[in-house]
Amino acid sequence: MNNNNDGSNENTISFTENEVSSGFPRTFYIANTMEIFERLAWYGFFALSSIYMTTPVEQGGVGFTDGQRGALQGIIPFFLYLLPVFTGALADRYGYRKMFLVSFIIMAPSYYLLGQATSFGGFFLAFMMVALGAACFKPVVVGTISHATNDKNRGLGFGVFYTMVNIGGFLGPLVAGYLRAISWDAVFLMSAIWIVINFIPVLFFYREPEQIKRSSARFTQVLAQAQQVLGNGRFALFIFPCIFLLMVAGAQWVSYSLAFGLIVGWLIVNAIWQHFSQPNAAKWYLTKATVSNKPFALYLLLLTGFWAVYNQLFYTMPLFIRDFVDTRDLVEFIAIFGEGAVKFFASVNTELLAEKVHTMLSQGQDATIIAKELVHLKVLVPLTDINQAINQFGLDINLVQAGEVANSWANQYRQINPEYIINLDFTAIVVCQIAVSLICARFKTINVLVAGVIVFAFGCFIAALANSLLAGGVVAVIAVLMMAFGEMITSPKSQEYVAAIAPKNQAALYMGYYFVSMALGFLFAGLLSGWGYGEIAKKMNNPELMWAIFATLGLLTSAGLFWFNRSYLQRNQFQANTSSAINES
């Protein structure tokens, strides 16, 4: 993932010879070390979160529905992206070291409690605490890197930092995938341990960067700044109830029909309210709702479409691979490297599998239901084989026979852990980002941005084929790699485009609010994944249609970005002179 607010992958920056020759203070290396361990913790959980949340309780998961899972993956990261505005202000006021300690104190027990929570409410609270801790950590580690570098080595410094992000993102799922073969509790315990390790560098080695000046900025100033970029208080009052209603509907606390009905009602109330409001009323709630910078707000809205599609790589793809894609072709390839490699990448607990086979066959379960349950134990057994076992043993199957069936199915139908296939995204970025960035630098920013979204959309189309082609594992790998290249092309250019079109004397201010598109993208990605996978892929048994919808949203986003640059900006200039930026972009 190419953003660091959530701690994902970042574009690598090119360096000059002068930058390479410049050194860094000790604080720089301490911050990078802490970033690696924080990413190990986050991705050790997050890359497996879809699988864990939908795994039945008896197999170590929490057994949430796809709607509940999507709501959690949408709502919590939404706040993770918004909170750094305020936690960053706290860090500037009270000091970076204190904020690091606060973040680790919050995150370490919260990761452990994630693995202990059994109810939706308990899991929600633990996950929210993880997000709060991460939101405290993110602005501080980025601020440390910024203060620990100078104009000569800043490009190299952030390049090293983003490499550490990707390394942590790459190793985290590998370790977690191995540990979940032992137990799910081990996954969450390991995430907590990674955070606990970070107490060592922050307590004994970290020093506040010398350039930091304590700020006395208040939250009211932060909110005033947000109004300057996004919209006034009335606009926020119009937007946030709509977002809240979508959240509670996604969490299945109310129905979507009720939520959309209330949203329509709220829109009507606001239309009337807007009609009778005055532009310069004394009370803020009596003023007209206004968007401070309409072109910038529209650009963020268009980017929301990309992030909503992009996050399906982490939210939906692991479940799709687990439930629909036969990856035996990859298992056969890995077998070339020995039995140890197969056990690592495609481990199957035959004892648990035998128990499940015995229980379900002795209860007379239908073959379709049995097949859906067995995927949680990492075997994708054809219905013909299950029916054969039912006819052969029936209700009288004993544990010895169940063990024989389990061993046979494990040998024939074991599957690659989905998180390992998803992890190719990080691998591709570590290996290819510099080359991709150098190639993209030759073209106009907007053209690259549109092309990147299209590449990602075609990755979704390819994913739809993995369910029907014989070499499903290879097709899934191609889809993930294509999405990775779409990400490498799009993410850095989406940030660069903000710098190109923002008011020239406010570029840094506008870049700070770029994250709003990611927050909304995460929210809609989670809700879209919960609905799309639960209703279309599973209930309708049509994952191809689901991926087609995701891909279409990506193509519409790319078309919208092209229209935005070619037509809308020409008619609606930013508050500064941006005509030259438009031509250059």
Side-chain angles (χ1 to χ4, degrees):
M1 217 170 169
N2 279 339
N3 60 74
N4 192 51
N5 280 332
D6 113 3
S8 29
N9 308 324
E10 285 286 351
N11 52 299
T12 307
I13 302 171
S14 58
F15 321 120
T16 64
E17 182 179 350
N18 194 24
E19 288 177 319
V20 174
S21 63
S22 302
F24 300 104
R26 183 177 68 174
T27 303
F28 172 84
Y29 298 102
I30 299 303
N32 276 286
T33 300
M34 291 191 291
E35 176 66 21
I36 289 179
F37 286 114
E38 194 274 337
R39 289 298 83 194
L40 284 169
W42 173 258
Y43 274 109
F45 154 69
F46 195 71
L48 280 67
S49 61
S50 290
I51 296 174
Y52 174 73
M53 285 190 273
T54 56
T55 295
V57 174
E58 61 269 21
Q59 295 177 25
V62 286
F64 293 156
T65 66
D66 282 294
Q68 291 174 318
R69 185 264 309 166
L72 286 165
Q73 292 176 320
I75 294 171
I76 305 301
F78 172 79
F79 286 105
L80 172 57
Y81 275 94
L82 292 182
L83 287 174
V85 176
F86 303 101
T87 57
L90 285 174
D92 288 338
R93 192 168 188 177
Y94 296 107
Y96 285 10
R97 189 168 182 268
K98 289 181 180 178
M99 191 58 68
F100 273 130
L101 288 170
V102 168
S103 70
F104 300 151
I105 289 171
I106 294 173
M107 279 193 286
S110 298
Y111 273 118
Y112 176 76
L113 291 173
L114 268 179
Q116 306 305 307
T118 56
S119 66
F120 180 83
F123 195 90
F124 185 96
L125 290 175
F127 199 3
M128 182 63 80
M129 292 305 295
V130 169
L132 176 61
C136 292
F137 176 83
K138 289 303 157 194
V140 183
V141 71
V142 173
T144 298
I145 297 298
S146 179
H147 286 290
T149 55
N150 53 49
D151 292 339
K152 293 183 178 180
N153 62 14
R154 185 158 291 120
L156 174 60
F158 273 96
V160 172
F161 174 69
Y162 295 142
T163 301
M164 299 304 105
V165 172
N166 291 324
I167 290 174
F170 170 73
L171 294 177
L174 288 179
V175 176
Y178 174 78
L179 289 174
R180 84 171 172 108
I182 301 172
S183 77
W184 278 108
D185 285 342
V187 172
F188 294 97
L189 180 61
M190 194 69 247
S191 287
I193 290 173
W194 292 134
I195 298 299
V196 169
I197 291 174
N198 264 343
F199 279 104
I200 297 174
V202 75
L203 285 173
F204 299 104
F205 303 106
Y206 183 81
R207 297 291 181 270
E208 297 273 354
E210 296 179 359
Q211 301 96 317
I212 292 180
K213 295 181 180 180
R214 295 291 172 84
S215 170
S216 59
R218 299 181 180 275
F219 286 138
T220 52
Q221 293 174 277
V222 175
L223 292 175
Q225 193 178 70
Q227 291 186 34
Q228 179 184 351
V229 176
L230 301 175
N232 64 3
R234 272 276 289 111
F235 177 71
L237 185 61
F238 162 62
I239 291 294
F240 278 101
C242 298
I243 293 175
F244 175 76
L245 288 170
L246 287 175
M247 289 180 177
V248 296
Q252 299 181 344
W253 293 328
V254 301
S255 66
Y256 270 108
S257 58
L258 176 58
F260 284 123
L262 291 173
I263 289 172
V264 171
W266 184 241
L267 293 176
I268 294 172
V269 168
N270 274 270
I272 299 172
W273 194 347
Q274 185 79 349
H275 178 75
F276 289 102
S277 298
Q278 300 297 321
N280 298 308
K283 302 293 186 179
W284 70 270
Y285 52 84
L286 297 178
T287 62
K288 288 185 177 293
T290 58
V291 179
S292 300
N293 197 310
K294 293 180 181 178
F296 183 67
L298 180 57
Y299 177 66
L300 293 183
L301 184 62
L302 288 169
L303 276 187
T304 297
F306 168 71
W307 293 117
V309 177
Y310 163 75
N311 281 297
Q312 303 311 320
L313 173 60
F314 293 96
Y315 290 175
T316 307
M317 183 67 84
L319 300 177
F320 172 67
I321 293 173
R322 181 193 68 185
D323 296 339
F324 290 99
V325 180
D326 189 349
T327 59
R328 281 181 293 166
D329 54 325
L330 297 181
V331 175
E332 292 173 1
F333 172 74
I334 291 173
I336 297 174
F337 302 97
E339 184 179 352
V342 172
K343 288 183 177 180
F344 180 86
F345 289 102
S347 63
V348 175
N349 189 322
T350 53
E351 293 182 3
L352 289 179
L353 181 59
E355 291 177 7
K356 177 60 67 174
V357 169
H358 177 262
T359 299
M360 299 195 78
L361 263 65
S362 62
Q363 292 176 349
Q365 295 282 0
D366 180 76
T368 302
I369 296 175
I370 294 175
K372 291 180 179 179
E373 284 292 315
L374 293 184
V375 297
H376 298 291
L377 294 170
K378 293 183 280 190
V379 289
L380 191 64
V381 185
L383 292 178
T384 53
D385 285 46
I386 297 176
N387 282 317
Q388 182 179 348
I390 292 174
N391 294 331
Q392 181 177 355
F393 301 107
L395 302 178
D396 298 326
I397 187 171
N398 58 45
L399 289 175
V400 174
Q401 293 168 333
E404 293 174 353
V405 172
N407 285 321
S408 174
W409 286 352
N411 290 330
Q412 294 182 69
Y413 303 118
R414 68 172 65 233
Q415 303 292 308
I416 297 289
N417 286 21
E419 60 268 25
Y420 294 148
I421 298 177
I422 304 304
N423 208 32
L424 292 172
D425 174 72
F426 289 101
T427 307
I429 289 173
V430 170
V431 174
C432 303
Q433 180 67 79
I434 294 178
V436 170
S437 296
L438 289 174
I439 294 171
C440 290
R442 303 173 185 175
F443 303 95
K444 291 181 178 180
T445 301
I446 188 61
N447 293 341
V448 174
L449 183 57
V450 170
V453 180
I454 292 174
V455 169
F456 198 96
F458 273 96
C460 294
F461 279 124
I462 291 177
L465 302 176
N467 180 39
S468 55
L469 296 181
L470 184 61
V474 172
V475 176
V477 167
I478 294 172
V480 169
L481 290 176
M482 180 162 284
M483 292 177 182
F485 278 97
E487 175 191 359
M488 283 185 270
I489 295 168
T490 302
S491 183
K493 288 300 179 181
S494 65
Q495 299 176 57
E496 183 180 326
Y497 191 69
V498 173
I501 63 178
K504 296 306 180 185
N505 59 339
Q506 295 179 306
L509 175 63
Y510 276 75
M511 282 295 296
Y513 286 89
Y514 166 88
F515 71 88
V516 172
S517 67
M518 298 180 185
L520 292 172
F522 267 89
L523 174 62
F524 294 129
L527 300 180
L528 186 62
S529 175
W531 168 78
Y533 196 76
E535 298 297 323
I536 300 177
K538 293 179 70 176
K539 287 186 179 181
M540 295 174 56
N541 195 31
N542 195 347
E544 295 86 355
L545 176 59
M546 176 195 69
W547 283 114
I549 292 173
F550 296 157
T552 301
L553 178 57
L555 293 177
L556 289 174
T557 298
S558 64
L561 289 168
F562 185 82
W563 164 82
F564 175 80
N565 184 80
R566 295 297 182 184
S567 300
Y568 185 83
L569 279 185
Q570 298 289 350
R571 301 192 306 269
N572 301 271
Q573 296 292 322
F574 271 61
Q575 295 164 356
N577 179 18
T578 60
S579 59
S580 61
I582 296 171
N583 293 332
E584 292 171 2
S585 298

